[in-house]
Amino acid sequence: MLTIELDKETEAYLVEILGREKTTSDELIKRLVKDRWLSLQPRQTIVERRGGHPEHLLEDAPPGLSERANRKKAIAAYLEKRHPQYHPRSPIAFTVTMAQF
């Protein structure tokens, strides 16, 4: 049990908050203490918020993917294999002459 003496201004704030949030002073104080405690805790990293690193993401990946050029080549190869209609093997050459304009 905790007993606190509030000045008139703080007590007026408390009454207004309790009226707007339709809660008891006990619940409000518990929530305020928890919110404050959570704000003092170290923030989670993005990986922690997403549940950690995927376990099997890179188990069959070729070595050297930490280099950007290698990653670009690997992604390009994957996309060409997955969507060959967008990556024709022989590029179509267009010849434009001035007579066509």
Side-chain angles (χ1 to χ4, degrees), residues 42-98:
R43 296 188 66 185
Q44 287 184 323
T45 64
I46 292 173
V47 172
E48 290 170 336
R49 285 185 293 216
R50 297 203 46 134
H53 290 286
E55 292 181 22
H56 307 292
L57 179 65
L58 299 173
E59 67 184 20
D60 61 344
L65 282 184
S66 59
E67 296 292 326
R68 185 170 193 239
N70 294 344
R71 284 194 309 273
K72 285 178 76 172
K73 287 177 189 172
I75 292 169
Y78 171 81
L79 292 174
E80 286 177 15
K81 181 180 173 186
R82 181 80 187 237
H83 305 285
Q85 70 272 21
Y86 297 114
H87 302 280
R89 288 289 178 205
S90 59
I92 301 172
F94 291 100
T95 306
V96 179
T97 61
M98 293 302 289

Side-chain angles (χ1 to χ4, degrees), residues 14-25:
L14 178 61
V15 169
E16 186 176 336
I17 292 169
L18 294 174
R20 286 189 184 186
E21 296 193 10
K22 302 203 183 339
T23 187
T24 65
S25 58

